[in-house]
Amino acid sequence: MSARIYQIQKNAMQSGKALTRKWVLEYVAAEAKKPDPLTGWAGSGDTKQQIRLTFSSEEAARAYAEREGIAYAVIPTAPKTLKIQAYADNFR
């Protein structure tokens, strides 16, 4: 079973940076989801997909994965780009 470690990104609807410093360890899906014939809901027998662990730093997440013998891949955080705009730009 392998996992991925990444840093939570700010969502487009957020103005603040709350919880964006946390790191997450999620397991990679071992089997594809399939629709339930009775309800039509998507599901699978892989219960590890439901586990989502948060850590205060990347090193803590790596240490946990190594201690538990979990193969992992670290997904680097995308660089933050600022688009500087002025109100006057609306009237150009």
Side-chain angles (χ1 to χ4, degrees):
M1 180 64 58
S2 63
R4 60 180 170 235
I5 298 173
Y6 62 93
Q7 191 171 22
I8 298 174
Q9 292 291 318
K10 188 177 86 153
N11 142 350
M13 300 300 291
Q14 274 181 297
S15 61
K17 295 181 182 173
L19 304 178
T20 58
R21 289 174 175 72
K22 295 200 181 260
W23 287 81
V24 175
L25 182 139
E26 281 184 340
Y27 287 96
V28 177
E31 63 182 58
K33 291 186 178 184
K34 51 189 177 279
D36 182 276
L38 182 61
T39 63
W41 293 359
S44 72
D46 183 21
T47 57
K48 290 209 177 204
Q49 289 179 347
Q50 301 170 8
I51 298 173
R52 185 176 185 195
L53 303 173
T54 58
F55 298 92
S56 59
S57 67
E58 178 185 0
E59 292 78 25
R62 283 179 184 240
Y64 175 81
E66 289 170 1
R67 184 175 67 239
E68 297 298 322
I70 301 168
Y72 65 90
V74 177
I75 300 171
T77 306
K80 296 176 183 161
T81 58
L82 294 175
K83 186 176 179 184
I84 308 294
Q85 290 183 326
Y87 180 70
D89 293 342
N90 293 332
F91 304 102
R92 285 186 182 198

Coordinates of all heavy atoms in Angstrom, one line a residue:
M1 N 0.8 -1.2 0.0 CA 0.0 0.0 0.0 C 0.9 1.2 0.0 O 1.8 1.3 0.8 CB -0.9 0.0 1.2 CG -1.8 1.1 1.4 SD -3.1 1.3 0.2 CE -4.0 -0.2 0.2
S2 N 0.6 2.1 -0.9 CA 1.4 3.4 -1.0 C 0.6 4.6 -0.6 O -0.6 4.5 -0.6 CB 2.0 3.5 -2.4 OG 1.0 3.7 -3.3
A3 N 1.3 5.6 -0.3 CA 0.6 6.9 0.1 C 1.2 8.0 -0.5 O 2.3 8.0 -1.1 CB 0.6 7.0 1.7
R4 N 0.5 9.2 -0.5 CA 1.0 10.4 -1.0 C 1.0 11.4 0.1 O 0.1 11.5 0.9 CB 0.3 10.9 -2.2 CG -1.2 11.2 -2.0 CD -1.8 11.6 -3.3 NE -3.3 11.6 -3.1 CZ -4.1 11.0 -3.8 NH1 -3.7 10.3 -4.9 NH2 -5.4 11.0 -3.5
I5 N 2.0 12.3 0.2 CA 2.2 13.3 1.2 C 2.2 14.6 0.5 O 2.9 14.8 -0.5 CB 3.5 13.1 2.0 CG1 3.4 11.8 2.8 CG2 3.6 14.3 3.0 CD1 4.7 11.5 3.5
Y6 N 1.3 15.5 0.9 CA 1.2 16.8 0.2 C 0.8 17.9 1.2 O 0.3 17.6 2.3 CB 0.3 16.8 -1.0 CG -1.2 16.5 -0.6 CD1 -2.1 17.5 -0.4 CD2 -1.6 15.2 -0.6 CE1 -3.4 17.2 0.0 CE2 -2.9 14.9 -0.2 CZ -3.8 15.9 0.0 OH -5.1 15.6 0.3
Q7 N 1.0 19.1 0.9 CA 0.6 20.3 1.7 C -0.8 20.8 1.2 O -1.0 20.9 0.0 CB 1.6 21.4 1.7 CG 1.4 22.4 2.7 CD 2.5 23.4 2.8 OE1 3.3 23.6 1.8 NE2 2.7 24.1 3.9
I8 N -1.7 21.1 2.2 CA -3.0 21.6 1.8 C -2.9 22.9 1.1 O -2.2 23.8 1.6 CB -3.9 21.7 3.1 CG1 -4.0 20.3 3.7 CG2 -5.2 22.3 2.7 CD1 -4.8 20.4 5.1
Q9 N -3.6 23.0 0.0 CA -3.5 24.3 -0.8 C -4.8 25.1 -0.4 O -5.8 24.6 0.0 CB -3.6 24.0 -2.3 CG -2.3 23.4 -2.8 CD -1.2 24.3 -2.7 OE1 -1.3 25.5 -3.1 NE2 0.0 23.8 -2.3
K10 N -4.6 26.4 -0.5 CA -5.8 27.3 -0.3 C -6.8 27.2 -1.4 O -6.4 27.1 -2.6 CB -5.2 28.8 -0.2 CG -6.3 29.8 0.2 CD -5.7 31.1 0.3 CE -5.8 31.8 -1.0 NZ -5.9 33.2 -1.0
N11 N -8.0 27.0 -1.1 CA -9.1 26.9 -2.0 C -9.4 28.3 -2.6 O -9.2 29.3 -2.0 CB -10.2 26.2 -1.3 CG -11.6 26.5 -1.5 OD1 -11.9 27.5 -2.2 ND2 -12.4 25.7 -1.0
A12 N -10.0 28.3 -3.8 CA -10.3 29.5 -4.5 C -11.3 30.4 -3.7 O -11.4 31.6 -3.9 CB -10.8 29.3 -5.9
M13 N -12.1 29.8 -2.9 CA -13.1 30.5 -2.1 C -12.6 31.1 -0.8 O -13.3 31.7 -0.1 CB -14.3 29.7 -1.9 CG -15.0 29.2 -3.2 SD -15.6 30.5 -4.2 CE -16.9 31.1 -3.3
Q14 N -11.4 30.8 -0.5 CA -10.8 31.2 0.8 C -10.0 32.5 0.6 O -9.3 32.7 -0.4 CB -9.7 30.2 1.3 CG -10.3 29.1 2.1 CD -9.1 28.2 2.5 OE1 -8.5 27.6 1.7 NE2 -8.9 28.1 3.8
S15 N -10.1 33.4 1.6 CA -9.3 34.6 1.5 C -8.1 34.5 2.5 O -7.1 35.1 2.2 CB -10.2 35.8 1.9 OG -10.7 35.7 3.2
G16 N -8.3 33.7 3.5 CA -7.3 33.6 4.5 C -6.4 32.4 4.2 O -6.6 31.6 3.3
K17 N -5.4 32.2 5.1 CA -4.5 31.1 4.9 C -4.6 30.0 6.0 O -3.6 29.3 6.3 CB -3.0 31.6 4.8 CG -2.8 32.5 3.6 CD -1.4 33.0 3.6 CE -1.2 33.9 2.4 NZ 0.1 34.5 2.4
A18 N -5.7 29.9 6.6 CA -5.9 28.9 7.7 C -5.7 27.5 7.2 O -6.2 27.2 6.1 CB -7.3 29.1 8.4
L19 N -5.1 26.7 8.0 CA -4.8 25.3 7.7 C -4.0 25.0 6.4 O -3.9 23.8 6.0 CB -6.2 24.5 7.6 CG -7.1 24.6 8.8 CD1 -8.4 23.9 8.5 CD2 -6.5 24.1 10.0
T20 N -3.4 26.0 5.8 CA -2.6 25.8 4.6 C -1.2 25.4 5.0 O -0.4 25.0 4.1 CB -2.5 27.0 3.7 OG1 -2.0 28.1 4.5 CG2 -3.9 27.3 3.2
R21 N -0.8 25.4 6.3 CA 0.6 25.0 6.6 C 0.6 23.5 7.0 O 1.7 23.0 7.3 CB 1.0 25.8 7.8 CG 1.3 27.3 7.4 CD 1.7 28.1 8.6 NE 2.1 29.5 8.3 CZ 1.3 30.4 7.8 NH1 0.0 30.1 7.6 NH2 1.7 31.6 7.5
K22 N -0.5 22.8 7.0 CA -0.6 21.4 7.4 C -0.2 20.5 6.3 O -0.4 20.8 5.1 CB -1.9 21.1 8.0 CG -2.3 21.8 9.2 CD -3.4 21.1 9.9 CE -3.7 21.9 11.2 NZ -3.1 21.3 12.4
W23 N 0.4 19.4 6.6 CA 0.7 18.3 5.6 C -0.2 17.2 5.8 O -0.6 16.8 6.9 CB 2.2 17.9 5.8 CG 3.1 19.0 5.3 CD1 3.5 20.1 6.0 CD2 3.7 19.0 4.0 NE1 4.3 20.9 5.2 CE2 4.5 20.2 4.0 CE3 3.7 18.2 2.9 CZ2 5.3 20.6 2.9 CZ3 4.5 18.6 1.8 CH2 5.3 19.8 1.8
V24 N -0.6 16.5 4.7 CA -1.5 15.4 4.7 C -0.9 14.1 4.1 O -0.2 14.2 3.2 CB -2.8 15.8 3.9 CG1 -3.8 14.6 3.8 CG2 -3.5 17.0 4.4
L25 N -1.2 13.0 4.8 CA -0.8 11.7 4.2 C -2.1 11.0 3.9 O -3.0 10.8 4.7 CB -0.1 10.9 5.3 CG 0.4 9.5 4.8 CD1 1.8 9.3 5.3 CD2 -0.5 8.4 5.2
E26 N -2.3 10.7 2.6 CA -3.5 9.9 2.1 C -3.0 8.7 1.4 O -2.0 8.7 0.7 CB -4.3 10.8 1.1 CG -5.1 11.8 1.7 CD -6.0 12.5 0.6 OE1 -5.6 12.5 -0.6 OE2 -6.9 13.1 1.0
Y27 N -3.7 7.6 1.6 CA -3.4 6.4 0.9 C -3.9 6.4 -0.6 O -4.9 7.0 -0.9 CB -4.0 5.2 1.6 CG -3.4 4.8 2.9 CD1 -3.8 5.3 4.1 CD2 -2.2 4.0 2.9 CE1 -3.2 5.0 5.2 CE2 -1.6 3.7 4.0 CZ -2.1 4.2 5.2 OH -1.5 3.9 6.4
V28 N -3.1 5.8 -1.5 CA -3.5 5.7 -2.9 C -4.5 4.6 -3.0 O -4.4 3.6 -2.4 CB -2.3 5.5 -3.8 CG1 -2.7 5.3 -5.2 CG2 -1.3 6.6 -3.6
A29 N -5.5 4.8 -3.8 CA -6.6 3.8 -4.0 C -6.0 2.5 -4.5 O -5.3 2.5 -5.5 CB -7.7 4.3 -4.9
A30 N -6.3 1.4 -3.9 CA -5.8 0.1 -4.3 C -6.8 -0.5 -5.4 O -6.3 -1.4 -6.2 CB -5.7 -0.9 -3.1
E31 N -8.0 -0.2 -5.4 CA -9.0 -0.7 -6.4 C -9.9 0.5 -6.8 O -10.1 1.4 -6.0 CB -9.7 -1.9 -5.8 CG -10.6 -1.6 -4.7 CD -11.4 -2.8 -4.1 OE1 -10.7 -3.7 -3.7 OE2 -12.6 -2.7 -4.1
A32 N -10.4 0.4 -8.0 CA -11.3 1.4 -8.5 C -12.7 1.3 -7.8 O -13.1 0.2 -7.4 CB -11.5 1.2 -10.0
K33 N -13.3 2.4 -7.7 CA -14.7 2.5 -7.1 C -15.7 2.0 -8.2 O -15.5 2.2 -9.4 CB -15.0 3.9 -6.7 CG -14.3 4.3 -5.5 CD -14.8 5.7 -5.0 CE -14.0 6.1 -3.8 NZ -14.5 7.3 -3.2
K34 N -16.7 1.3 -7.7 CA -17.7 0.8 -8.7 C -19.1 1.2 -8.1 O -19.3 1.2 -6.9 CB -17.6 -0.7 -8.9 CG -17.5 -1.5 -7.7 CD -17.1 -2.9 -8.0 CE -16.9 -3.7 -6.7 NZ -15.7 -3.6 -6.1
P35 N -20.1 1.4 -9.0 CA -21.4 1.7 -8.5 C -22.1 0.5 -7.8 O -22.0 -0.6 -8.3 CB -22.2 2.2 -9.7 CG -21.4 1.6 -10.8 CD -20.0 1.4 -10.4
D36 N -22.8 0.8 -6.7 CA -23.6 -0.2 -6.0 C -24.8 -0.5 -6.8 O -25.5 0.5 -7.3 CB -23.9 0.3 -4.6 CG -24.7 -0.7 -3.8 OD1 -25.9 -0.8 -4.0 OD2 -24.1 -1.4 -3.0
P37 N -25.2 -1.7 -7.1 CA -26.3 -2.0 -8.0 C -27.7 -1.5 -7.4 O -28.6 -1.2 -8.1 CB -26.3 -3.5 -8.2 CG -25.3 -4.0 -7.3 CD -24.5 -2.9 -6.7
L38 N -27.8 -1.5 -6.0 CA -29.0 -1.1 -5.4 C -29.2 0.4 -5.3 O -30.2 0.9 -5.7 CB -29.1 -1.7 -4.0 CG -30.4 -1.5 -3.2 CD1 -31.6 -2.1 -4.0 CD2 -30.3 -2.1 -1.9
T39 N -28.2 1.1 -4.8 CA -28.3 2.5 -4.6 C -27.7 3.4 -5.7 O -28.1 4.5 -5.8 CB -27.7 2.9 -3.2 OG1 -26.3 2.6 -3.3 CG2 -28.3 2.2 -2.1
G40 N -26.7 2.8 -6.4 CA -26.0 3.6 -7.4 C -24.9 4.4 -6.9 O -24.2 5.1 -7.6
W41 N -24.6 4.4 -5.5 CA -23.5 5.1 -4.9 C -22.2 4.4 -5.3 O -22.1 3.2 -5.4 CB -23.7 5.1 -3.4 CG -24.8 6.0 -2.9 CD1 -25.7 6.7 -3.7 CD2 -25.2 6.1 -1.6 NE1 -26.7 7.3 -2.9 CE2 -26.4 7.0 -1.6 CE3 -24.7 5.7 -0.4 CZ2 -27.0 7.4 -0.5 CZ3 -25.4 6.1 0.8 CH2 -26.5 6.9 0.7
A42 N -21.2 5.2 -5.4 CA -19.8 4.7 -5.7 C -19.2 4.2 -4.4 O -19.3 4.8 -3.4 CB -19.0 5.7 -6.4
G43 N -18.6 3.0 -4.5 CA -17.9 2.5 -3.3 C -16.9 1.4 -3.7 O -16.8 1.0 -4.9
S44 N -16.1 1.0 -2.8 CA -15.1 -0.1 -3.0 C -14.9 -0.8 -1.7 O -15.3 -0.3 -0.6 CB -13.8 0.5 -3.6 OG -13.1 1.2 -2.6
G45 N -14.1 -1.9 -1.7 CA -13.8 -2.6 -0.5 C -12.5 -2.1 0.1 O -12.1 -2.6 1.2
D46 N -11.9 -1.1 -0.4 CA -10.6 -0.6 0.1 C -11.0 0.5 1.2 O -11.3 1.6 0.8 CB -9.8 0.0 -1.0 CG -8.5 0.6 -0.6 OD1 -8.0 0.1 0.5 OD2 -7.9 1.4 -1.3
T47 N -10.8 0.1 2.4 CA -11.2 1.1 3.5 C -10.0 2.1 3.8 O -10.3 3.0 4.5 CB -11.5 0.3 4.8 OG1 -10.4 -0.5 5.2 CG2 -12.7 -0.6 4.6
K48 N -8.8 1.8 3.3 CA -7.7 2.8 3.6 C -7.9 4.1 2.8 O -7.3 5.1 3.2 CB -6.4 2.1 3.2 CG -6.0 1.0 4.1 CD -4.5 0.9 4.2 CE -4.2 -0.2 5.2 NZ -3.0 0.0 5.8
Q49 N -8.8 4.1 1.8 CA -9.1 5.4 1.1 C -9.8 6.4 2.1 O -9.7 7.6 1.8 CB -10.0 5.1 0.0 CG -9.4 4.4 -1.2 CD -10.4 4.2 -2.3 OE1 -11.6 4.4 -2.1 NE2 -9.9 3.8 -3.5
Q50 N -10.3 5.9 3.2 CA -11.1 6.8 4.1 C -10.1 7.5 5.1 O -10.5 8.4 5.8 CB -12.1 6.0 4.8 CG -13.1 5.4 3.9 CD -14.0 4.4 4.7 OE1 -14.0 4.3 5.9 NE2 -14.8 3.7 3.9
I51 N -8.9 7.0 5.1 CA -7.9 7.5 6.1 C -7.2 8.7 5.6 O -6.6 8.7 4.5 CB -6.9 6.4 6.5 CG1 -7.6 5.3 7.2 CG2 -5.9 7.0 7.5 CD1 -6.8 4.1 7.5
R52 N -7.2 9.8 6.4 CA -6.5 11.0 6.0 C -5.8 11.6 7.3 O -6.5 12.1 8.1 CB -7.5 12.0 5.4 CG -6.8 13.3 4.9 CD -7.8 14.2 4.2 NE -7.1 15.3 3.7 CZ -7.7 16.4 3.3 NH1 -9.0 16.5 3.4 NH2 -7.0 17.4 2.8
L53 N -4.5 11.5 7.3 CA -3.8 11.9 8.5 C -3.2 13.3 8.2 O -2.6 13.5 7.2 CB -2.7 10.9 8.8 CG -3.2 9.5 9.1 CD1 -2.0 8.6 9.2 CD2 -4.0 9.4 10.3
T54 N -3.2 14.2 9.2 CA -2.6 15.5 9.1 C -1.4 15.6 10.0 O -1.4 15.1 11.1 CB -3.6 16.7 9.4 OG1 -4.1 16.5 10.7 CG2 -4.8 16.6 8.4
F55 N -0.4 16.4 9.6 CA 0.8 16.6 10.3 C 1.2 18.0 10.3 O 0.8 18.7 9.3 CB 2.0 15.7 9.7 CG 1.7 14.2 9.8 CD1 1.1 13.6 8.7 CD2 2.1 13.5 10.9 CE1 0.8 12.2 8.8 CE2 1.8 12.2 10.9 CZ 1.2 11.5 9.9
S56 N 2.0 18.4 11.2 CA 2.4 19.9 11.3 C 3.5 20.2 10.3 O 3.7 21.3 10.0 CB 2.8 20.2 12.7 OG 3.9 19.4 13.1
S57 N 4.3 19.1 9.9 CA 5.4 19.4 9.0 C 5.6 18.2 8.0 O 5.1 17.1 8.3 CB 6.7 19.6 9.8 OG 7.1 18.4 10.4
E58 N 6.3 18.4 7.0 CA 6.6 17.4 6.0 C 7.5 16.3 6.7 O 7.3 15.1 6.4 CB 7.3 18.0 4.8 CG 7.7 16.9 3.8 CD 8.5 17.5 2.6 OE1 8.8 18.7 2.6 OE2 8.9 16.7 1.7
E59 N 8.4 16.7 7.5 CA 9.3 15.8 8.2 C 8.5 14.8 9.1 O 8.9 13.6 9.1 CB 10.4 16.5 9.0 CG 11.4 17.2 8.1 CD 10.9 18.6 7.6 OE1 10.0 19.1 8.2 OE2 11.4 19.0 6.5
A60 N 7.5 15.3 9.7 CA 6.7 14.5 10.6 C 5.9 13.5 9.8 O 5.8 12.3 10.2 CB 5.8 15.4 11.5
A61 N 5.4 13.9 8.7 CA 4.7 12.9 7.8 C 5.6 11.9 7.3 O 5.3 10.7 7.2 CB 4.0 13.7 6.7
R62 N 6.8 12.3 6.8 CA 7.8 11.3 6.3 C 8.2 10.3 7.4 O 8.3 9.1 7.2 CB 9.0 12.0 5.8 CG 8.9 12.6 4.5 CD 10.2 13.3 4.1 NE 10.0 14.1 2.9 CZ 10.8 13.8 1.8 NH1 11.7 12.9 1.8 NH2 10.6 14.5 0.7
A63 N 8.4 10.8 8.6 CA 8.9 10.0 9.7 C 7.8 9.0 10.1 O 8.1 7.8 10.3 CB 9.2 10.8 11.0
Y64 N 6.5 9.4 10.0 CA 5.4 8.4 10.3 C 5.4 7.3 9.3 O 5.3 6.2 9.6 CB 4.1 9.2 10.4 CG 2.9 8.3 10.5 CD1 2.6 7.8 11.8 CD2 2.2 7.8 9.4 CE1 1.5 6.9 11.9 CE2 1.1 7.0 9.5 CZ 0.8 6.5 10.8 OH -0.3 5.6 10.9
A65 N 5.5 7.7 8.0 CA 5.4 6.8 6.9 C 6.6 5.8 7.0 O 6.4 4.6 6.8 CB 5.4 7.5 5.6
E66 N 7.8 6.2 7.3 CA 8.9 5.4 7.4 C 8.8 4.4 8.6 O 9.1 3.3 8.5 CB 10.2 6.2 7.4 CG 10.5 6.8 6.1 CD 11.6 7.8 6.2 OE1 12.2 8.0 7.3 OE2 11.9 8.4 5.1
R67 N 8.3 5.0 9.7 CA 8.2 4.2 10.9 C 7.2 3.1 10.8 O 7.3 2.0 11.2 CB 7.7 5.1 12.1 CG 7.7 4.4 13.4 CD 7.3 5.3 14.6 NE 6.0 5.8 14.5 CZ 5.7 7.1 14.4 NH1 6.7 8.0 14.4 NH2 4.5 7.5 14.3
E68 N 6.1 3.3 10.0 CA 5.0 2.4 9.8 C 5.3 1.5 8.5 O 4.5 0.6 8.3 CB 3.7 3.1 9.6 CG 3.2 3.8 10.9 CD 3.0 2.9 12.1 OE1 2.5 1.8 11.9 OE2 3.4 3.4 13.2
G69 N 6.4 1.7 7.8 CA 6.7 0.9 6.7 C 5.8 1.2 5.5 O 5.5 0.3 4.7
I70 N 5.3 2.4 5.3 CA 4.4 2.8 4.2 C 5.3 3.4 3.1 O 6.0 4.3 3.3 CB 3.4 3.8 4.7 CG1 2.6 3.2 5.8 CG2 2.5 4.2 3.5 CD1 1.7 4.3 6.5
A71 N 5.1 2.9 1.9 CA 5.8 3.5 0.7 C 5.1 4.8 0.4 O 3.8 4.8 0.4 CB 5.7 2.6 -0.5
Y72 N 5.8 5.9 0.2 CA 5.2 7.2 0.0 C 5.8 8.0 -1.1 O 7.0 7.7 -1.5 CB 5.2 8.0 1.3 CG 6.6 8.4 1.8 CD1 7.2 9.6 1.4 CD2 7.3 7.6 2.6 CE1 8.4 9.9 1.8 CE2 8.6 7.9 3.1 CZ 9.1 9.1 2.7 OH 10.4 9.4 3.1
A73 N 5.1 8.9 -1.6 CA 5.6 9.9 -2.6 C 5.2 11.3 -2.1 O 4.1 11.5 -1.7 CB 5.0 9.6 -4.0
V74 N 6.2 12.2 -2.1 CA 5.9 13.6 -1.6 C 5.6 14.4 -2.9 O 6.4 14.4 -3.8 CB 7.1 14.2 -0.9 CG1 6.8 15.6 -0.5 CG2 7.4 13.3 0.3
I75 N 4.4 15.0 -2.9 CA 4.0 15.9 -4.0 C 4.4 17.3 -3.6 O 4.0 17.9 -2.6 CB 2.5 15.8 -4.2 CG1 2.1 14.4 -4.5 CG2 2.1 16.8 -5.3 CD1 0.7 14.1 -4.6
P76 N 5.3 17.9 -4.4 CA 5.8 19.3 -4.0 C 4.7 20.3 -4.1 O 3.8 20.2 -4.9 CB 6.9 19.5 -5.0 CG 6.6 18.6 -6.1 CD 5.9 17.5 -5.6
T77 N 4.8 21.3 -3.2 CA 3.9 22.4 -3.2 C 4.1 23.3 -4.4 O 5.3 23.7 -4.7 CB 4.0 23.2 -1.9 OG1 3.9 22.3 -0.8 CG2 2.9 24.3 -1.8
A78 N 3.1 23.7 -5.1 CA 3.2 24.6 -6.2 C 3.6 26.0 -5.8 O 3.2 26.4 -4.7 CB 1.9 24.7 -7.0
P79 N 4.5 26.7 -6.5 CA 4.9 28.0 -6.1 C 3.7 29.0 -6.1 O 2.9 28.9 -7.0 CB 6.0 28.4 -7.1 CG 5.7 27.6 -8.2 CD 5.1 26.3 -7.7
K80 N 3.7 29.9 -5.1 CA 2.6 30.8 -5.1 C 2.9 32.0 -5.9 O 4.0 32.6 -5.8 CB 2.4 31.3 -3.6 CG 1.9 30.1 -2.8 CD 1.8 30.5 -1.3 CE 1.4 29.3 -0.5 NZ 1.6 29.4 0.9
T81 N 2.0 32.4 -6.8 CA 2.2 33.5 -7.7 C 1.2 34.6 -7.3 O 0.0 34.3 -7.1 CB 2.0 33.1 -9.2 OG1 0.7 32.6 -9.4 CG2 3.1 32.1 -9.6
L82 N 1.6 35.8 -7.3 CA 0.7 36.9 -7.0 C 0.5 37.7 -8.3 O 1.4 38.0 -9.0 CB 1.4 37.9 -5.9 CG 1.6 37.3 -4.5 CD1 2.3 38.3 -3.7 CD2 0.2 36.9 -3.9
K83 N -0.8 38.0 -8.5 CA -1.2 38.8 -9.6 C -1.5 40.2 -9.1 O -2.6 40.4 -8.5 CB -2.4 38.2 -10.3 CG -2.7 38.9 -11.6 CD -3.9 38.2 -12.3 CE -4.3 38.9 -13.6 NZ -5.4 38.3 -14.2
I84 N -0.5 41.1 -9.2 CA -0.7 42.4 -8.7 C -1.6 43.2 -9.6 O -1.3 43.4 -10.8 CB 0.7 43.2 -8.6 CG1 1.7 42.3 -7.8 CG2 0.5 44.5 -8.0 CD1 1.3 42.1 -6.3
Q85 N -2.7 43.8 -9.1 CA -3.6 44.5 -9.9 C -4.0 45.8 -9.2 O -4.0 45.8 -7.9 CB -4.9 43.8 -10.1 CG -4.7 42.6 -11.1 CD -6.1 41.9 -11.3 OE1 -6.9 41.9 -10.4 NE2 -6.3 41.4 -12.5
A86 N -4.3 46.8 -9.9 CA -4.8 48.1 -9.4 C -6.2 48.3 -9.9 O -6.6 47.8 -11.0 CB -3.9 49.2 -9.8
Y87 N -7.0 49.0 -9.1 CA -8.3 49.3 -9.5 C -8.4 50.0 -10.9 O -9.3 49.8 -11.7 CB -9.0 50.1 -8.4 CG -10.4 50.5 -8.8 CD1 -11.4 49.5 -8.8 CD2 -10.8 51.8 -9.1 CE1 -12.7 49.8 -9.0 CE2 -12.1 52.1 -9.3 CZ -13.1 51.1 -9.3 OH -14.4 51.4 -9.6
A88 N -7.4 50.9 -11.1 CA -7.3 51.7 -12.4 C -7.2 50.8 -13.6 O -7.5 51.2 -14.7 CB -6.2 52.7 -12.3
D89 N -6.7 49.5 -13.4 CA -6.5 48.6 -14.6 C -7.8 48.2 -15.2 O -7.9 47.8 -16.3 CB -5.7 47.4 -14.1 CG -4.3 47.7 -13.7 OD1 -3.8 48.7 -14.1 OD2 -3.7 46.8 -13.1
N90 N -8.9 48.4 -14.4 CA -10.2 48.0 -15.0 C -10.7 49.0 -16.1 O -11.6 48.7 -16.8 CB -11.3 48.0 -13.8 CG -11.1 46.9 -12.9 OD1 -10.5 45.9 -13.2 ND2 -11.5 47.1 -11.6
F91 N -10.1 50.2 -16.1 CA -10.5 51.2 -17.0 C -9.5 51.5 -18.2 O -9.6 52.5 -18.8 CB -10.8 52.5 -16.3 CG -11.8 52.3 -15.2 CD1 -11.4 52.2 -13.9 CD2 -13.1 52.2 -15.5 CE1 -12.3 52.0 -12.8 CE2 -14.1 52.0 -14.5 CZ -13.7 51.9 -13.2
R92 N -8.6 50.5 -18.4 CA -7.7 50.7 -19.5 C -8.3 50.4 -20.8 O -9.1 49.6 -21.0 CB -6.4 49.8 -19.3 CG -5.6 50.4 -18.2 CD -4.3 49.7 -18.1 NE -3.6 50.3 -17.0 CZ -2.3 50.1 -16.8 NH1 -1.6 49.3 -17.6 NH2 -1.7 50.6 -15.8

